[in-house]
Amino acid sequence: MRQAGRFLPEYRALREQHGFLELCKTPALAAEVTLLPIRRFPVDAAILFADILLILEPMGVGLEFAQGDGPVIHRPVRSAADVDALARVPAAEGTPFVFETIRHAQALLAGEVPLVGFAGAPFTLASYAVEGGGSRNYAETKKLMYGDARTWHRLMERLTEATVEYLQAQVSAGVDALQLFDSWVGCLSPDDYRAYVLPHMRTLFEALASSGVPVVHFGTGTATLLELMREAGGDVIGLDWRVDLADAWARLGAGVAVQGNFDPVALLASPDEIRRRVQRILDQAGGRPGHIFNLGHGVLPETPPEHVAALVDAVHELSAVR
Ligand code: CP3
């Protein structure tokens, strides 16, 4: 996660020449960025270079990535009228560059490793759309959810519909797997997840079931939500480092794969410590099929690339003996 991002000096060099949205919207460049980590590390998959928020821009909310401040939505969605005003634009017209990047990246990858496509899950997208950017307490999001459930569900329906179309178009363009990022859903209680999120996630996964590619269902801070996430759907459940992988897998049951769950901040520790922590996670997975080794969340920009190399080597070496 964020393996194609700012911890790579070659990415930072490109960013000196181009804005972030400009990179996303220039398929030749976005495809190159997708391949940067593949050229540097023997990782087992590439992730499409794009962003979960790109899907919101054609809806007319005014998306900007301000220097140093993270994403900004200039016209937040906070009322029934705001939801009605969201434009309905077919994915092929709204984000054609994403599908072009996929075709371009697949040509460059030439089958070397699979390409993972992705989208934000409706709750996480809604949180940005309603807050107008990142948030700590999700106050505006919860105000809408608790104060006007009808409008909340209409917003979630709109985002779910758009996301299904967007992901189906990614599969048509050639991705080999999909990941749904519900990065901030861990701010909800199980009751609220069940009432305000789960029905939409179920619709989403049901619609993707016929896509023919595996789907990863990812979130963070989800220790209390894992069973509900499983109920919602996904072939793979993403785990963050706050849970013990073996315990979490036991709760989820044998019929589902898991992904995770190395603490990205531990990549700042020494290669020896990284190796010990890789071993611990592999021990918890116990050589069972259906474990995708990954970070529990994104690589931090200050991570030394050599530490990522040490992680990838440790995973390959320590899992090969099984
Ligand atoms: O390498 C990859 O993982 C592929 C590309 C990717 C990006 N964003 C590129 C990016 C992916 C998969 C994402 C997903 C994404 N974007 C998520 C879900 C995953 C997660 O981390 O929880 C979320 C919540 C976003 C929204 C977003 N985009 C934020 C909050 C930010 C600012 C982050 C920051 O630290 O400044 C972005 C910008 C962004 N997306 C960057 C990259 C490489 C950095 C932009 C830059 O180059 O300045």
PDB file of all heavy atoms in Angstrom, residues 170-203:
ATOM      1  N   GLN A 170     -12.663  -0.981 -14.558  1.00  0.00           N
ATOM      2  CA  GLN A 170     -11.250  -1.332 -14.319  1.00  0.00           C
ATOM      3  C   GLN A 170     -10.988  -2.784 -14.710  1.00  0.00           C
ATOM      4  O   GLN A 170      -9.946  -3.105 -15.285  1.00  0.00           O
ATOM      5  CB  GLN A 170     -10.877  -1.126 -12.847  1.00  0.00           C
ATOM      6  CG  GLN A 170     -10.804   0.345 -12.442  1.00  0.00           C
ATOM      7  CD  GLN A 170     -10.194   0.536 -11.061  1.00  0.00           C
ATOM      8  OE1 GLN A 170      -9.409  -0.281 -10.575  1.00  0.00           O
ATOM      9  NE2 GLN A 170     -10.555   1.630 -10.417  1.00  0.00           N
ATOM     10  N   VAL A 171     -11.938  -3.664 -14.404  1.00  0.00           N
ATOM     11  CA  VAL A 171     -11.774  -5.073 -14.770  1.00  0.00           C
ATOM     12  C   VAL A 171     -11.781  -5.199 -16.301  1.00  0.00           C
ATOM     13  O   VAL A 171     -10.932  -5.888 -16.880  1.00  0.00           O
ATOM     14  CB  VAL A 171     -12.870  -5.956 -14.124  1.00  0.00           C
ATOM     15  CG1 VAL A 171     -12.796  -7.390 -14.636  1.00  0.00           C
ATOM     16  CG2 VAL A 171     -12.737  -5.926 -12.604  1.00  0.00           C
ATOM     17  N   SER A 172     -12.698  -4.490 -16.960  1.00  0.00           N
ATOM     18  CA  SER A 172     -12.727  -4.536 -18.432  1.00  0.00           C
ATOM     19  C   SER A 172     -11.413  -4.028 -19.021  1.00  0.00           C
ATOM     20  O   SER A 172     -10.956  -4.513 -20.047  1.00  0.00           O
ATOM     21  CB  SER A 172     -13.863  -3.674 -18.988  1.00  0.00           C
ATOM     22  OG  SER A 172     -15.083  -4.165 -18.514  1.00  0.00           O
ATOM     23  N   ALA A 173     -10.803  -3.062 -18.360  1.00  0.00           N
ATOM     24  CA  ALA A 173      -9.533  -2.511 -18.861  1.00  0.00           C
ATOM     25  C   ALA A 173      -8.359  -3.445 -18.561  1.00  0.00           C
ATOM     26  O   ALA A 173      -7.277  -3.270 -19.101  1.00  0.00           O
ATOM     27  CB  ALA A 173      -9.284  -1.131 -18.264  1.00  0.00           C
ATOM     28  N   GLY A 174      -8.579  -4.431 -17.643  1.00  0.00           N
ATOM     29  CA  GLY A 174      -7.543  -5.450 -17.494  1.00  0.00           C
ATOM     30  C   GLY A 174      -6.925  -5.664 -16.131  1.00  0.00           C
ATOM     31  O   GLY A 174      -5.924  -6.372 -16.029  1.00  0.00           O
ATOM     32  N   VAL A 175      -7.485  -5.105 -15.030  1.00  0.00           N
ATOM     33  CA  VAL A 175      -6.859  -5.409 -13.729  1.00  0.00           C
ATOM     34  C   VAL A 175      -7.110  -6.870 -13.350  1.00  0.00           C
ATOM     35  O   VAL A 175      -8.077  -7.485 -13.792  1.00  0.00           O
ATOM     36  CB  VAL A 175      -7.342  -4.472 -12.583  1.00  0.00           C
ATOM     37  CG1 VAL A 175      -6.992  -3.023 -12.877  1.00  0.00           C
ATOM     38  CG2 VAL A 175      -8.824  -4.654 -12.302  1.00  0.00           C
ATOM     39  N   ASP A 176      -6.206  -7.413 -12.528  1.00  0.00           N
ATOM     40  CA  ASP A 176      -6.267  -8.835 -12.160  1.00  0.00           C
ATOM     41  C   ASP A 176      -6.928  -9.055 -10.807  1.00  0.00           C
ATOM     42  O   ASP A 176      -7.255 -10.190 -10.451  1.00  0.00           O
ATOM     43  CB  ASP A 176      -4.844  -9.404 -12.107  1.00  0.00           C
ATOM     44  CG  ASP A 176      -4.147  -9.275 -13.458  1.00  0.00           C
ATOM     45  OD1 ASP A 176      -4.615  -9.914 -14.412  1.00  0.00           O
ATOM     46  OD2 ASP A 176      -3.170  -8.508 -13.552  1.00  0.00           O
ATOM     47  N   ALA A 177      -7.063  -8.016 -10.019  1.00  0.00           N
ATOM     48  CA  ALA A 177      -7.697  -8.107  -8.699  1.00  0.00           C
ATOM     49  C   ALA A 177      -8.169  -6.706  -8.334  1.00  0.00           C
ATOM     50  O   ALA A 177      -7.754  -5.718  -8.960  1.00  0.00           O
ATOM     51  CB  ALA A 177      -6.693  -8.614  -7.657  1.00  0.00           C
ATOM     52  N   LEU A 178      -9.046  -6.631  -7.344  1.00  0.00           N
ATOM     53  CA  LEU A 178      -9.571  -5.334  -6.904  1.00  0.00           C
ATOM     54  C   LEU A 178      -9.405  -5.217  -5.394  1.00  0.00           C
ATOM     55  O   LEU A 178      -9.502  -6.215  -4.675  1.00  0.00           O
ATOM     56  CB  LEU A 178     -11.061  -5.211  -7.235  1.00  0.00           C
ATOM     57  CG  LEU A 178     -11.436  -5.128  -8.712  1.00  0.00           C
ATOM     58  CD1 LEU A 178     -12.950  -5.228  -8.868  1.00  0.00           C
ATOM     59  CD2 LEU A 178     -10.910  -3.836  -9.341  1.00  0.00           C
ATOM     60  N   GLN A 179      -9.179  -3.995  -4.925  1.00  0.00           N
ATOM     61  CA  GLN A 179      -9.180  -3.745  -3.488  1.00  0.00           C
ATOM     62  C   GLN A 179     -10.122  -2.593  -3.197  1.00  0.00           C
ATOM     63  O   GLN A 179     -10.065  -1.548  -3.853  1.00  0.00           O
ATOM     64  CB  GLN A 179      -7.762  -3.429  -3.006  1.00  0.00           C
ATOM     65  CG  GLN A 179      -7.718  -3.071  -1.531  1.00  0.00           C
ATOM     66  CD  GLN A 179      -6.400  -3.430  -0.860  1.00  0.00           C
ATOM     67  OE1 GLN A 179      -5.708  -4.354  -1.264  1.00  0.00           O
ATOM     68  NE2 GLN A 179      -6.055  -2.722   0.185  1.00  0.00           N
ATOM     69  N   LEU A 180     -10.966  -2.786  -2.202  1.00  0.00           N
ATOM     70  CA  LEU A 180     -11.840  -1.707  -1.725  1.00  0.00           C
ATOM     71  C   LEU A 180     -11.257  -1.153  -0.446  1.00  0.00           C
ATOM     72  O   LEU A 180     -11.091  -1.877   0.543  1.00  0.00           O
ATOM     73  CB  LEU A 180     -13.253  -2.235  -1.481  1.00  0.00           C
ATOM     74  CG  LEU A 180     -14.091  -2.181  -2.753  1.00  0.00           C
ATOM     75  CD1 LEU A 180     -15.229  -3.171  -2.690  1.00  0.00           C
ATOM     76  CD2 LEU A 180     -14.621  -0.764  -2.984  1.00  0.00           C
ATOM     77  N   PHE A 181     -10.929   0.130  -0.456  1.00  0.00           N
ATOM     78  CA  PHE A 181     -10.329   0.787   0.696  1.00  0.00           C
ATOM     79  C   PHE A 181     -11.417   1.438   1.545  1.00  0.00           C
ATOM     80  O   PHE A 181     -11.943   2.486   1.191  1.00  0.00           O
ATOM     81  CB  PHE A 181      -9.363   1.883   0.242  1.00  0.00           C
ATOM     82  CG  PHE A 181      -8.049   1.370  -0.282  1.00  0.00           C
ATOM     83  CD1 PHE A 181      -7.818   1.261  -1.642  1.00  0.00           C
ATOM     84  CD2 PHE A 181      -7.038   1.011   0.595  1.00  0.00           C
ATOM     85  CE1 PHE A 181      -6.593   0.807  -2.121  1.00  0.00           C
ATOM     86  CE2 PHE A 181      -5.809   0.549   0.121  1.00  0.00           C
ATOM     87  CZ  PHE A 181      -5.588   0.448  -1.235  1.00  0.00           C
ATOM     88  N   ASP A 182     -11.744   0.799   2.679  1.00  0.00           N
ATOM     89  CA  ASP A 182     -12.618   1.473   3.642  1.00  0.00           C
ATOM     90  C   ASP A 182     -11.735   1.952   4.797  1.00  0.00           C
ATOM     91  O   ASP A 182     -11.918   1.561   5.958  1.00  0.00           O
ATOM     92  CB  ASP A 182     -13.763   0.568   4.116  1.00  0.00           C
ATOM     93  CG  ASP A 182     -15.051   1.371   4.318  1.00  0.00           C
ATOM     94  OD1 ASP A 182     -14.962   2.623   4.280  1.00  0.00           O
ATOM     95  OD2 ASP A 182     -16.128   0.769   4.480  1.00  0.00           O
ATOM     96  N   SER A 183     -10.800   2.812   4.443  1.00  0.00           N
ATOM     97  CA  SER A 183      -9.710   3.173   5.356  1.00  0.00           C
ATOM     98  C   SER A 183     -10.178   3.736   6.692  1.00  0.00           C
ATOM     99  O   SER A 183      -9.542   3.520   7.709  1.00  0.00           O
ATOM    100  CB  SER A 183      -8.800   4.199   4.678  1.00  0.00           C
ATOM    101  OG  SER A 183      -8.298   3.666   3.484  1.00  0.00           O
ATOM    102  N   TRP A 184     -11.281   4.466   6.690  1.00  0.00           N
ATOM    103  CA  TRP A 184     -11.665   5.180   7.918  1.00  0.00           C
ATOM    104  C   TRP A 184     -12.919   4.621   8.588  1.00  0.00           C
ATOM    105  O   TRP A 184     -13.463   5.218   9.514  1.00  0.00           O
ATOM    106  CB  TRP A 184     -11.833   6.680   7.629  1.00  0.00           C
ATOM    107  CG  TRP A 184     -10.682   7.252   6.857  1.00  0.00           C
ATOM    108  CD1 TRP A 184     -10.765   8.037   5.751  1.00  0.00           C
ATOM    109  CD2 TRP A 184      -9.268   7.091   7.106  1.00  0.00           C
ATOM    110  NE1 TRP A 184      -9.503   8.358   5.288  1.00  0.00           N
ATOM    111  CE2 TRP A 184      -8.570   7.784   6.103  1.00  0.00           C
ATOM    112  CE3 TRP A 184      -8.518   6.399   8.081  1.00  0.00           C
ATOM    113  CZ2 TRP A 184      -7.167   7.834   6.037  1.00  0.00           C
ATOM    114  CZ3 TRP A 184      -7.120   6.441   8.004  1.00  0.00           C
ATOM    115  CH2 TRP A 184      -6.474   7.154   7.005  1.00  0.00           C
ATOM    116  N   VAL A 185     -13.384   3.460   8.153  1.00  0.00           N
ATOM    117  CA  VAL A 185     -14.634   2.905   8.686  1.00  0.00           C
ATOM    118  C   VAL A 185     -14.508   2.489  10.151  1.00  0.00           C
ATOM    119  O   VAL A 185     -15.513   2.350  10.852  1.00  0.00           O
ATOM    120  CB  VAL A 185     -15.100   1.722   7.793  1.00  0.00           C
ATOM    121  CG1 VAL A 185     -14.296   0.448   8.086  1.00  0.00           C
ATOM    122  CG2 VAL A 185     -16.586   1.484   7.934  1.00  0.00           C
ATOM    123  N   GLY A 186     -13.245   2.357  10.615  1.00  0.00           N
ATOM    124  CA  GLY A 186     -12.995   1.982  12.005  1.00  0.00           C
ATOM    125  C   GLY A 186     -13.463   3.029  13.006  1.00  0.00           C
ATOM    126  O   GLY A 186     -13.445   2.775  14.209  1.00  0.00           O
ATOM    127  N   CYS A 187     -13.926   4.186  12.531  1.00  0.00           N
ATOM    128  CA  CYS A 187     -14.467   5.204  13.468  1.00  0.00           C
ATOM    129  C   CYS A 187     -15.896   4.871  13.876  1.00  0.00           C
ATOM    130  O   CYS A 187     -16.470   5.579  14.711  1.00  0.00           O
ATOM    131  CB  CYS A 187     -14.399   6.596  12.845  1.00  0.00           C
ATOM    132  SG  CYS A 187     -15.615   6.861  11.537  1.00  0.00           S
ATOM    133  N   LEU A 188     -16.478   3.814  13.309  1.00  0.00           N
ATOM    134  CA  LEU A 188     -17.884   3.480  13.602  1.00  0.00           C
ATOM    135  C   LEU A 188     -17.998   2.337  14.606  1.00  0.00           C
ATOM    136  O   LEU A 188     -17.170   1.428  14.619  1.00  0.00           O
ATOM    137  CB  LEU A 188     -18.608   3.061  12.321  1.00  0.00           C
ATOM    138  CG  LEU A 188     -18.738   4.118  11.227  1.00  0.00           C
ATOM    139  CD1 LEU A 188     -19.463   3.525  10.017  1.00  0.00           C
ATOM    140  CD2 LEU A 188     -19.464   5.364  11.739  1.00  0.00           C
ATOM    141  N   SER A 189     -19.055   2.354  15.381  1.00  0.00           N
ATOM    142  CA  SER A 189     -19.378   1.220  16.259  1.00  0.00           C
ATOM    143  C   SER A 189     -19.957   0.102  15.392  1.00  0.00           C
ATOM    144  O   SER A 189     -20.448   0.361  14.292  1.00  0.00           O
ATOM    145  CB  SER A 189     -20.419   1.640  17.293  1.00  0.00           C
ATOM    146  OG  SER A 189     -21.662   1.864  16.623  1.00  0.00           O
ATOM    147  N   PRO A 190     -19.936  -1.129  15.918  1.00  0.00           N
ATOM    148  CA  PRO A 190     -20.555  -2.224  15.154  1.00  0.00           C
ATOM    149  C   PRO A 190     -22.024  -1.942  14.801  1.00  0.00           C
ATOM    150  O   PRO A 190     -22.442  -2.213  13.670  1.00  0.00           O
ATOM    151  CB  PRO A 190     -20.409  -3.429  16.092  1.00  0.00           C
ATOM    152  CG  PRO A 190     -19.181  -3.113  16.899  1.00  0.00           C
ATOM    153  CD  PRO A 190     -19.211  -1.628  17.108  1.00  0.00           C
ATOM    154  N   ASP A 191     -22.784  -1.380  15.747  1.00  0.00           N
ATOM    155  CA  ASP A 191     -24.204  -1.082  15.452  1.00  0.00           C
ATOM    156  C   ASP A 191     -24.335  -0.102  14.290  1.00  0.00           C
ATOM    157  O   ASP A 191     -25.192  -0.270  13.412  1.00  0.00           O
ATOM    158  CB  ASP A 191     -24.885  -0.444  16.675  1.00  0.00           C
ATOM    159  CG  ASP A 191     -25.384  -1.487  17.657  1.00  0.00           C
ATOM    160  OD1 ASP A 191     -25.351  -2.690  17.306  1.00  0.00           O
ATOM    161  OD2 ASP A 191     -25.807  -1.097  18.762  1.00  0.00           O
ATOM    162  N   ASP A 192     -23.509   0.943  14.302  1.00  0.00           N
ATOM    163  CA  ASP A 192     -23.594   1.938  13.234  1.00  0.00           C
ATOM    164  C   ASP A 192     -23.117   1.353  11.902  1.00  0.00           C
ATOM    165  O   ASP A 192     -23.670   1.662  10.849  1.00  0.00           O
ATOM    166  CB  ASP A 192     -22.792   3.201  13.597  1.00  0.00           C
ATOM    167  CG  ASP A 192     -23.519   4.028  14.659  1.00  0.00           C
ATOM    168  OD1 ASP A 192     -24.725   3.778  14.892  1.00  0.00           O
ATOM    169  OD2 ASP A 192     -22.877   4.916  15.264  1.00  0.00           O
ATOM    170  N   TYR A 193     -22.075   0.510  11.958  1.00  0.00           N
ATOM    171  CA  TYR A 193     -21.627  -0.142  10.720  1.00  0.00           C
ATOM    172  C   TYR A 193     -22.772  -0.946  10.126  1.00  0.00           C
ATOM    173  O   TYR A 193     -23.054  -0.873   8.926  1.00  0.00           O
ATOM    174  CB  TYR A 193     -20.418  -1.051  10.996  1.00  0.00           C
ATOM    175  CG  TYR A 193     -19.865  -1.676   9.719  1.00  0.00           C
ATOM    176  CD1 TYR A 193     -18.881  -1.035   8.975  1.00  0.00           C
ATOM    177  CD2 TYR A 193     -20.355  -2.908   9.244  1.00  0.00           C
ATOM    178  CE1 TYR A 193     -18.384  -1.594   7.806  1.00  0.00           C
ATOM    179  CE2 TYR A 193     -19.861  -3.470   8.077  1.00  0.00           C
ATOM    180  CZ  TYR A 193     -18.882  -2.806   7.361  1.00  0.00           C
ATOM    181  OH  TYR A 193     -18.407  -3.365   6.187  1.00  0.00           O
ATOM    182  N   ARG A 194     -23.453  -1.697  10.996  1.00  0.00           N
ATOM    183  CA  ARG A 194     -24.541  -2.542  10.510  1.00  0.00           C
ATOM    184  C   ARG A 194     -25.672  -1.713   9.892  1.00  0.00           C
ATOM    185  O   ARG A 194     -26.210  -2.061   8.840  1.00  0.00           O
ATOM    186  CB  ARG A 194     -25.088  -3.375  11.676  1.00  0.00           C
ATOM    187  CG  ARG A 194     -25.981  -4.518  11.256  1.00  0.00           C
ATOM    188  CD  ARG A 194     -26.620  -5.197  12.465  1.00  0.00           C
ATOM    189  NE  ARG A 194     -25.695  -5.995  13.255  1.00  0.00           N
ATOM    190  CZ  ARG A 194     -25.254  -7.199  12.892  1.00  0.00           C
ATOM    191  NH1 ARG A 194     -25.653  -7.745  11.769  1.00  0.00           N
ATOM    192  NH2 ARG A 194     -24.423  -7.860  13.665  1.00  0.00           N
ATOM    193  N   ALA A 195     -25.987  -0.593  10.527  1.00  0.00           N
ATOM    194  CA  ALA A 195     -27.135   0.203  10.072  1.00  0.00           C
ATOM    195  C   ALA A 195     -26.804   1.076   8.864  1.00  0.00           C
ATOM    196  O   ALA A 195     -27.629   1.237   7.965  1.00  0.00           O
ATOM    197  CB  ALA A 195     -27.627   1.092  11.223  1.00  0.00           C
ATOM    198  N   TYR A 196     -25.611   1.666   8.837  1.00  0.00           N
ATOM    199  CA  TYR A 196     -25.344   2.739   7.867  1.00  0.00           C
ATOM    200  C   TYR A 196     -24.388   2.349   6.733  1.00  0.00           C
ATOM    201  O   TYR A 196     -24.258   3.077   5.759  1.00  0.00           O
ATOM    202  CB  TYR A 196     -24.773   3.965   8.592  1.00  0.00           C
ATOM    203  CG  TYR A 196     -25.730   4.559   9.605  1.00  0.00           C
ATOM    204  CD1 TYR A 196     -25.511   4.411  10.973  1.00  0.00           C
ATOM    205  CD2 TYR A 196     -26.860   5.255   9.185  1.00  0.00           C
ATOM    206  CE1 TYR A 196     -26.392   4.952  11.897  1.00  0.00           C
ATOM    207  CE2 TYR A 196     -27.745   5.796  10.100  1.00  0.00           C
ATOM    208  CZ  TYR A 196     -27.506   5.644  11.450  1.00  0.00           C
ATOM    209  OH  TYR A 196     -28.388   6.183  12.358  1.00  0.00           O
ATOM    210  N   VAL A 197     -23.696   1.223   6.896  1.00  0.00           N
ATOM    211  CA  VAL A 197     -22.652   0.884   5.916  1.00  0.00           C
ATOM    212  C   VAL A 197     -22.861  -0.502   5.300  1.00  0.00           C
ATOM    213  O   VAL A 197     -22.786  -0.678   4.081  1.00  0.00           O
ATOM    214  CB  VAL A 197     -21.250   0.962   6.573  1.00  0.00           C
ATOM    215  CG1 VAL A 197     -20.162   0.532   5.602  1.00  0.00           C
ATOM    216  CG2 VAL A 197     -20.981   2.388   7.075  1.00  0.00           C
ATOM    217  N   LEU A 198     -23.136  -1.482   6.158  1.00  0.00           N
ATOM    218  CA  LEU A 198     -23.156  -2.875   5.704  1.00  0.00           C
ATOM    219  C   LEU A 198     -24.084  -3.140   4.507  1.00  0.00           C
ATOM    220  O   LEU A 198     -23.669  -3.813   3.558  1.00  0.00           O
ATOM    221  CB  LEU A 198     -23.476  -3.799   6.882  1.00  0.00           C
ATOM    222  CG  LEU A 198     -23.159  -5.285   6.655  1.00  0.00           C
ATOM    223  CD1 LEU A 198     -22.749  -5.944   7.973  1.00  0.00           C
ATOM    224  CD2 LEU A 198     -24.275  -6.065   6.028  1.00  0.00           C
ATOM    225  N   PRO A 199     -25.312  -2.620   4.499  1.00  0.00           N
ATOM    226  CA  PRO A 199     -26.182  -2.930   3.346  1.00  0.00           C
ATOM    227  C   PRO A 199     -25.588  -2.465   2.018  1.00  0.00           C
ATOM    228  O   PRO A 199     -25.728  -3.149   1.000  1.00  0.00           O
ATOM    229  CB  PRO A 199     -27.478  -2.158   3.645  1.00  0.00           C
ATOM    230  CG  PRO A 199     -27.425  -1.809   5.096  1.00  0.00           C
ATOM    231  CD  PRO A 199     -25.981  -1.778   5.498  1.00  0.00           C
ATOM    232  N   HIS A 200     -24.908  -1.331   2.039  1.00  0.00           N
ATOM    233  CA  HIS A 200     -24.316  -0.797   0.811  1.00  0.00           C
ATOM    234  C   HIS A 200     -23.107  -1.622   0.391  1.00  0.00           C
ATOM    235  O   HIS A 200     -22.891  -1.876  -0.801  1.00  0.00           O
ATOM    236  CB  HIS A 200     -23.944   0.673   1.010  1.00  0.00           C
ATOM    237  CG  HIS A 200     -25.113   1.487   1.479  1.00  0.00           C
ATOM    238  ND1 HIS A 200     -26.132   1.836   0.632  1.00  0.00           N
ATOM    239  CD2 HIS A 200     -25.455   1.950   2.709  1.00  0.00           C
ATOM    240  CE1 HIS A 200     -27.047   2.515   1.328  1.00  0.00           C
ATOM    241  NE2 HIS A 200     -26.654   2.589   2.589  1.00  0.00           N
ATOM    242  N   MET A 201     -22.320  -2.053   1.368  1.00  0.00           N
ATOM    243  CA  MET A 201     -21.160  -2.891   1.051  1.00  0.00           C
ATOM    244  C   MET A 201     -21.615  -4.223   0.473  1.00  0.00           C
ATOM    245  O   MET A 201     -20.998  -4.761  -0.445  1.00  0.00           O
ATOM    246  CB  MET A 201     -20.305  -3.127   2.300  1.00  0.00           C
ATOM    247  CG  MET A 201     -19.595  -1.897   2.799  1.00  0.00           C
ATOM    248  SD  MET A 201     -18.554  -1.122   1.538  1.00  0.00           S
ATOM    249  CE  MET A 201     -17.054  -2.113   1.674  1.00  0.00           C
ATOM    250  N   ARG A 202     -22.715  -4.738   1.015  1.00  0.00           N
ATOM    251  CA  ARG A 202     -23.217  -6.014   0.490  1.00  0.00           C
ATOM    252  C   ARG A 202     -23.637  -5.847  -0.970  1.00  0.00           C
ATOM    253  O   ARG A 202     -23.304  -6.667  -1.820  1.00  0.00           O
ATOM    254  CB  ARG A 202     -24.370  -6.493   1.362  1.00  0.00           C
ATOM    255  CG  ARG A 202     -24.732  -7.919   1.089  1.00  0.00           C
ATOM    256  CD  ARG A 202     -25.810  -8.412   2.012  1.00  0.00           C
ATOM    257  NE  ARG A 202     -25.298  -8.856   3.290  1.00  0.00           N
ATOM    258  CZ  ARG A 202     -25.956  -8.780   4.433  1.00  0.00           C
ATOM    259  NH1 ARG A 202     -27.145  -8.231   4.475  1.00  0.00           N
ATOM    260  NH2 ARG A 202     -25.435  -9.253   5.525  1.00  0.00           N
ATOM    261  N   THR A 203     -24.355  -4.773  -1.270  1.00  0.00           N
ATOM    262  CA  THR A 203     -24.750  -4.486  -2.656  1.00  0.00           C
ATOM    263  C   THR A 203     -23.523  -4.424  -3.563  1.00  0.00           C
ATOM    264  O   THR A 203     -23.509  -4.995  -4.665  1.00  0.00           O
ATOM    265  CB  THR A 203     -25.493  -3.121  -2.726  1.00  0.00           C
ATOM    266  OG1 THR A 203     -26.597  -3.171  -1.843  1.00  0.00           O
ATOM    267  CG2 THR A 203     -25.936  -2.792  -4.131  1.00  0.00           C
TER     268      THR A 203
END
